[in-house]
Structures are given as C-alpha cells and as structure tokens.
Amino acid sequence: TRSAAAEAPRALDAILAVDDPELAVERLHALGAIRGPRALGEVLAALDGDDLELELAALVVLRRWPDADEATVPKLTPYLTHHFAGARALACEGLGQRRHAPSEPVITELMRDPEEPPRVREAAAGALLQIGTPSARAAVDAAYQAGLVTLETE
C-alpha cells in the first residue's frame, strides 16, 4: 500500500491536469486539501485573474491554509479594499489567521465603519483578536461597546 505522502504528488498532478472551467472552483478546493508549494502557487495564481468566483474560492482556500507562509500576505492585502464585501471579509480572516500586524490599521477601519456589512465588521474583529496586539484588542473592545460588532461566532 502506498503512503499518503507517496500518493500526494500523483493526486496533485491529476488535479493540475484538470482544465475544465466548470470545475475550476472544485479544483482550487482540491488543491487546498492537498497543500504543498505547487498547490499554493496555483491557488495564489487564481487571485491574479478577473473571475470573482475563482478569486473568492481562492480566498476561502487560503483562509483555511494554516501553514501558508508570508508569501500569501501580499496577495491577501489588496482584498481589504475590494468592492465586494465577501472578499473583504475573507481577506480579514486570512490575514488574521496569519496574525499580520501590519494590516491592523486597515482591518480596524473596516471594523469601525458602520457602512460595512456586519459580516465584514465581524470578520475584522475576529482578525484583530487573532492579531492580538494591545491596540487591536482595545479596538475590538471599543467596537463591541459601540455596538458595531457582536463577537458572536457562526
């Protein structure tokens, strides 16, 4: 019986061979399950396109990719100002998971903005709690006291 480690390169090659646009989102999720540098490169490349559905799928995959290195941060940060609220929320979650303190000011502004949808404000609060600096924790506390966030988990 082959080990999972021995099977992973074969599975990755099979997934990378899928070139059906109708399966592109599923392909990204499969790459996220396999992980590794080649898979990460493919997921990051999806952020360079102009297909919002693929970009969102890549953001979801990156959010759940705990061992992704700092190379993902430059790909995530532009989404903090994306026109689509879901992308902003996913970027907050991904940057929070990476405890990316340099993103704290922008994430704080997203959380404090009453015009932002609750999903974005809650994701920003969660990210700030993960970043964990004293200023991030104080900002979340102030937003909670002001009723901007509930801190309830889904």
Side-chain angles (χ1 to χ4, degrees), residues 9 28 30 40-41 60 63 66 77 80 87 99 111 113-114 133 144 148:
L28 288 173
L40 179 60
V60 167
R63 177 189 67 189
T77 53
L80 291 173
R99 291 173 173 74
M111 181 189 63
D113 185 348
T133 62
Y144 177 76
L148 290 169

Side-chain angles (χ1 to χ4, degrees), residues 88-145:
R88 293 191 303 277
L90 289 167
C92 286
E93 291 169 2
L95 291 163
Q97 181 181 14
R98 285 157 184 80
R99 291 173 173 74
H100 190 253
S103 297
E104 182 182 327
V106 176
I107 293 172
T108 300
E109 287 307 310
L110 287 171
M111 181 189 63
R112 288 178 177 162
D113 185 348
E115 299 298 315
E116 282 291 344
R119 163 100 169 86
V120 174
R121 291 195 314 268
E122 295 294 333
L128 291 168
L129 291 173
Q130 286 180 301
I131 290 169
T133 62
S135 58
R137 288 192 307 270
V140 171
D141 185 50
Y144 177 76
Q145 297 300 326

